[in-house]
């Protein structure tokens, strides 16, 4: 029979945490569990809410949710636990807009949404491996908060929405929410899809956990920005398969991450090669948005001031400058083009008034263009060709 160690607001919390840890057998109850979930579990021992528990011990639950280092330090002192695993997996505030998990920064808005996801199979294992009541034995994992994560690698099942609550202090009082879904977890009432993990998902989880993984070009880049770029590049690559982004079913974005990752992992040249393939799907006069709309829009607008995305902006800008017949009046990722660097057969014909077939023959005879490329994309150095065009 469980002995309830909750005696008063002045309880020794380090003893309480030790008691709870012992009751979970050999399983570390700090594994990927954030501070707010630990606080909620401790509150549930006394059958009170996390908010009331915080008031009793003089540490508001909302402060722990904010992830301020001072509040988390105080909570660590209260429970007598300073383990690196517990600390690293707790989302810590970086200004008002970001949270750090395992040293990786993620935007707070998609991190703390009303829809709380998780793996019911993990939760069921928690219950079956502990003598505690089900709502106190289930463990919330921090990686479930990250929107780039959609699959439990352990069970190879997609994450599902466990509950949806608007108020944050109620939403992340996890033990209270676990009490409401315990029966559904045990009866496997949550509908979830099984699938094999992708290379991207394995890479992401290993890097998030600080484990060794197969080396990729993306390893030296911030994890969130690298993941977003993979998704954007993968979304752009859908055109090569004749698929529109609007045709991607909700919950299937993991495929876009993988499509982008399998190219970006090999580095800049592989990315340039893929962008060249995409070029052929539209005319340059329609602009970059016609070729890779989401990729271009996000890098030129949403992430234009984010230094973590600078390498990807530079790659796209370099690609445009080296393969697009841009002219004064055009823009490259928000920056105006001041002079023409490249002509295409078509733009040169339009500018000079020379018949496009005759001009192409002249350029091919001078070995100035790739004979395999169509008129729109057969580009050449505008300055080097000036004497030929003038003639």
């Amino acid at each position: 029979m469980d002995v309830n160690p909750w005696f008063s607001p002045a309880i020794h919390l380090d003893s309480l945490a030790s008691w709870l840890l012992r009751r979970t057998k050999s399983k570390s109850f700090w594994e990927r569990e954030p501070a707010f979930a630990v606080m909620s579990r401790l509150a549930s021992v006394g059958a009170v809410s996390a908010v009331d528990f915080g008031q009793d011990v003089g540490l508001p639950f909302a402060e722990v949710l904010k992830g301020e280092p001072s509040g988390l330090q105080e909570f660590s002192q209260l429970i007598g636990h300073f383990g690196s695993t517990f600390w690293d997996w707790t989302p810590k505030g970086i200004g008002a807009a970001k949270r750090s998990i395992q040293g990786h920064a993620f935007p707070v808005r998609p991190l703390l949404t009303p829809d709380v996801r998780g793996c019911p199979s993990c939760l069921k294992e928690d219950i079956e491996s502990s003598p505690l009541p089900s709502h106190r034995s289930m463990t919330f994992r921090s990686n479930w908060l990250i929107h780039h994560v959609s699959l439990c690698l352990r069970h190879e099942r997609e994450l599902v929405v466990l509950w949806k609550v608007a108020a944050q202090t109620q939403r992340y009082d996890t033990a209270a929410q676990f009490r409401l879904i315990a029966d559904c977890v045990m009866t496997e009432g949550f509908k979830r899809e099984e699938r094999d993990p992708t290379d991207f998902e394995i890479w992401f989880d290993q890097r998030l956990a600080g484990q060794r993984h197969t080396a990729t070009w993306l390893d030296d880049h911030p994890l969130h920005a690298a993941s977003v770029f993979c998704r954007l590049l993968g979304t752009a690559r859908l055109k090569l398969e004749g698929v529109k982004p609007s045709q991607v079913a909700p919950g299937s974005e993991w495929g876009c991450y993988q499509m982008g990752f399998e190219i970006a992992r090999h580095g800049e040249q592989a990315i340039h090669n893929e962008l060249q393939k995409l070029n052929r799907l539209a005319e340059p006069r329609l602009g970059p948005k016609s070729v890779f709309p989401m990729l271009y829009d996000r890098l030129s607008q949403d992430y234009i001031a984010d230094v973590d995305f600078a390498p990807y902006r530079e790659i796209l800008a370099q690609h445009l400058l080296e393969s697009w017949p841009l002219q004064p009046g055009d823009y490259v990722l928000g920056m105006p083009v001041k002079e023409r660097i490249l002509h295409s057969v078509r733009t040169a014909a339009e500018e000079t008034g020379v018949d496009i077939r005759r001009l192409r023959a002249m350029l091919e005879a001078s070995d100035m263009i790739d004979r395999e490329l169509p008129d729109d994309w057969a580009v050449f150095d505008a300055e080097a060709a000036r004497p030929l065009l003038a003639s």
Side-chain angles (χ1 to χ4, degrees), residues 215-237:
T216 76
W217 175 78
L218 295 165
D219 295 347
D220 296 328
H221 301 266
L223 183 57
H224 169 65
S227 301
V228 171
F229 180 71
C230 285
R231 176 170 52 82
L232 294 176
L233 180 60
T235 302
R237 291 188 66 208

Side-chain angles (χ1 to χ4, degrees), residues 57 131 171 384:
V57 300
R171 184 192 315 158

Side-chain angles (χ1 to χ4, degrees), residues 46-81:
V48 298
S49 70
V51 172
D52 289 341
F53 176 84
Q55 291 175 344
D56 287 341
V57 300
L59 177 60
F61 185 53
E63 291 299 310
V64 177
L65 283 177
K66 288 180 182 178
E68 295 295 336
S70 58
L72 296 177
Q73 185 74 18
E74 184 177 348
F75 182 66
S76 295
Q77 293 173 343
L78 282 171
I79 65 174
H81 188 88

Side-chain angles (χ1 to χ4, degrees), residues 74-265:
E74 184 177 348
F75 182 66
S76 295
Q77 293 173 343
L78 282 171
I79 65 174
H81 188 88
F82 297 89
S84 60
T85 301
F86 162 70
W87 182 263
D88 292 343
W89 283 103
T90 292
K92 291 177 287 296
I94 306 176
K98 292 185 178 181
R99 295 287 188 274
S100 172
I101 299 177
Q102 281 284 92
H104 300 285
F106 299 97
V108 68
R109 182 172 294 179
L111 200 69
L112 304 179
T113 68
D115 294 336
V116 177
R117 302 173 307 144
C119 173
S121 296
C122 286
L123 298 177
K124 186 177 180 181
E125 281 189 356
D126 293 340
I127 295 173
E128 293 174 341
S129 65
S130 171
L132 291 171
S134 57
H135 66 290
R136 296 217 303 269
S137 58
M138 286 186 275
T139 301
F140 188 84
R141 281 78 165 169
S142 286
N143 56 300
W144 293 346
L145 296 169
I146 304 171
H147 64 289
H148 302 305
V149 178
S150 62
L151 185 77
C152 171
L153 299 189
R154 176 180 174 82
H155 298 100
E156 297 187 351
R157 289 180 173 177
E158 293 190 347
L159 303 185
V160 301
V161 175
L162 300 172
W163 60 80
K164 184 175 182 178
V165 178
Q168 280 197 15
T169 53
Q170 296 178 28
R171 184 192 315 158
Y172 297 112
D173 190 352
T174 53
Q177 298 298 334
F178 283 150
R179 185 190 292 272
L180 301 177
I181 67 169
D183 289 342
C184 193
V185 168
M186 289 304 298
T187 59
E188 300 186 359
F190 286 101
K191 182 180 179 181
R192 53 197 184 278
E193 300 295 331
E194 296 185 21
R195 63 176 173 83
D196 294 332
T198 64
D199 293 336
F200 168 82
E201 289 168 328
I202 294 171
W203 169 81
F204 184 94
D205 189 77
Q206 289 180 341
R207 189 169 169 199
L208 181 68
Q211 300 170 353
R212 296 183 62 183
H213 54 268
T214 303
T216 76
W217 175 78
L218 295 165
D219 295 347
D220 296 328
H221 301 266
L223 183 57
H224 169 65
S227 301
V228 171
F229 180 71
C230 285
R231 176 170 52 82
L232 294 176
L233 180 60
T235 302
R237 291 188 66 208
L238 290 173
K239 278 194 172 185
L240 298 175
E241 307 297 329
V243 178
K244 297 179 180 179
S246 60
Q247 294 176 303
V248 178
S252 298
E253 292 83 1
W254 57 268
C256 294
Y257 282 100
Q258 174 60 18
M259 288 179 67
F261 177 74
E262 63 187 13
I263 298 300
R265 67 190 301 177

